[in-house]
């Protein structure tokens, strides 16, 4: 399989702080769980694209700055819900991704209309999904179209 880049699914219901971390024009490093991906396949330097659920579209791009590591989320204390804090404190396979929020998100309708990416909003349900090289190229062309 052509495992070129990572598609990160971001659910605002489970991560309401996303706008503070990767809102338009913002840069940050965020840890994401990688399960069920094989940790040995995830390394620093992989391109990444964030696709928001609830029809938010493409919200950010970036690249991994670590390999997958079995570790707690270092930002667990930012969570306000004790259950979320407990989950984040548990060691899980995680990868750190440096992200920059897009000034103009790519509408999900354009992702769906593109023959190379149309299936992604429907099939990519886990936090991390592999993108093939042609899918990544098509998403980046849409990003370029909206963000110059």
């Amino acid at each position: 399989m052509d495992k070129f880049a990572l598609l990160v699914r971001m659910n605002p219901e489970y991560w309401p702080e996303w706008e503070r971390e990767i809102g338009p024009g913002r840069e940050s490093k965020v840890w994401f769980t990688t399960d069920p991906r094989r940790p040995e396949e995830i390394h620093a330097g992989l391109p990444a694209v964030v696709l928001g659920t609830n029809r938010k579209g493409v919200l950010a791009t970036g690249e991994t700055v670590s390999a997958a590591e079995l570790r707690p989320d270092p930002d667990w204390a930012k969570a306000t819900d004790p259950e979320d804090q407990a989950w984040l404190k548990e060691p899980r396979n995680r990868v750190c991704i440096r992200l920059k929020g897009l000034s103009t998100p790519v509408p999900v309708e354009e992702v769906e209309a593109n023959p190379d990416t149309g299936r992604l909003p429907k099939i990519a349900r886990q936090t991390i999904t592999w993108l093939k090289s042609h899918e990544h190229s098509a998403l980046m062309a849409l990003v370029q179209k909206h963000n110059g």
Side-chain angles (χ1 to χ4, degrees), residues 10-131:
M10 191 281 308
N11 187 334
E13 289 179 30
Y14 294 108
W15 193 38
E17 300 86 12
W18 75 273
E19 284 186 288
R20 184 174 64 236
E21 297 291 332
I22 60 167
R26 298 189 75 109
E27 292 187 35
S28 65
K29 292 180 182 174
V30 182
W31 287 87
F32 292 94
T33 60
T34 62
D35 296 334
R37 306 293 142 232
R38 290 184 173 155
E40 63 272 12
E41 294 180 337
I42 297 174
H43 54 83
L46 287 172
V49 178
V50 176
L51 180 63
T53 61
N54 297 339
R55 308 204 49 83
K56 292 200 177 294
V58 177
L59 302 172
T61 61
E63 75 175 10
T64 58
V65 293
S66 76
E69 301 174 19
L70 184 62
R71 59 169 299 149
D73 189 316
D75 297 325
W76 66 266
K78 290 180 182 178
T80 55
D81 183 319
E83 282 185 35
D84 290 343
Q85 283 187 351
W87 187 86
L88 292 167
K89 282 184 187 180
E90 288 181 28
R92 297 181 187 278
N93 287 317
R94 301 178 194 276
V95 63
C96 185
I97 305 176
R98 181 178 43 244
L99 294 169
K100 182 169 184 181
L102 299 177
S103 298
T104 306
V106 176
V108 73
E109 293 81 10
E110 290 191 35
V111 175
E112 291 171 332
N114 186 300
D116 290 322
T117 61
R119 68 185 191 91
L120 296 175
K122 296 171 187 74
I123 62 111
R125 294 290 175 218
Q126 289 138 347
T127 302
I128 299 280
T129 303
W130 284 108
L131 285 173

